[in-house]
């Protein structure tokens, strides 16, 4: 969870855990703006991309060491092209033709 601390100067700072920071950085990169609404500079965008890339790399290393599969789930849309992908060709289901 995020932690709110107060510095010696009285300034309040929010410390994010790595998951929250990654979520925030990905949202900022997608919008092109920081949390406060100011635009991202090229340097800030590069830093955020580096942080996200390193998290992905470390997750792959962890999964490889522990023999785990990827935890990412992909959302697939069902289209006419892939509706019968798990059963083979549609004509195989009906005895060789598109009709009965």
């Amino acid at each position: 969870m995020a932690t709110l601390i107060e510095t010696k100067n009285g300034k309040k700072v929010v410390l994010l855990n790595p998951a929250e920071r990654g979520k925030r950085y990905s949202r900022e990169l997608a919008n092109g703006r920081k949390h406060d609404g100011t635009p991202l500079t090229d340097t800030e965008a590069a830093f955020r991309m580096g942080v996200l890339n390193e998290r992905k790399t470390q997750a792959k290393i962890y999964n490889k060491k522990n023999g785990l599969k990827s935890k990412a789930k992909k959302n697939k849309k069902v289209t006419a092209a892939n509706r019968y992908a798990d059963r083979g060709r549609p004509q195989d289901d009906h005895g060789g033709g598109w009709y009965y």
Side-chain angles (χ1 to χ4, degrees), residues 51-66:
V51 168
L52 294 175
N53 188 30
E54 185 59 27
R55 284 185 51 82
K56 188 182 343 179
T57 304
Q58 291 301 320
K60 287 179 184 178
I61 292 170
Y62 175 83
N63 289 339
K64 185 72 172 177
K65 282 184 178 179
N66 293 304

Side-chain angles (χ1 to χ4, degrees), residues 27-100:
R27 186 177 53 239
E28 288 177 352
L29 282 171
N31 295 333
R33 299 195 168 276
K34 287 188 259 185
H35 188 67
D36 60 2
T38 58
L40 282 174
T41 64
D42 291 340
T43 306
E44 291 168 338
F47 177 79
R48 284 159 173 73
M49 283 185 258
V51 168
L52 294 175
N53 188 30
E54 185 59 27
R55 284 185 51 82
K56 188 182 343 179
T57 304
Q58 291 301 320
K60 287 179 184 178
I61 292 170
Y62 175 83
N63 289 339
K64 185 72 172 177
K65 282 184 178 179
N66 293 304
L68 301 174
K69 298 283 186 183
S70 174
K71 302 290 183 188
K73 294 181 181 177
K74 295 182 181 177
N75 296 330
K76 290 176 71 174
K77 285 188 176 179
V78 175
T79 61
N82 69 2
R83 184 170 296 151
Y84 299 101
D86 58 339
R87 299 188 305 181
R89 300 183 334 198
Q91 58 266 37
D92 292 341
D93 296 335
H94 304 296
W98 286 94
Y99 52 89
Y100 290 83

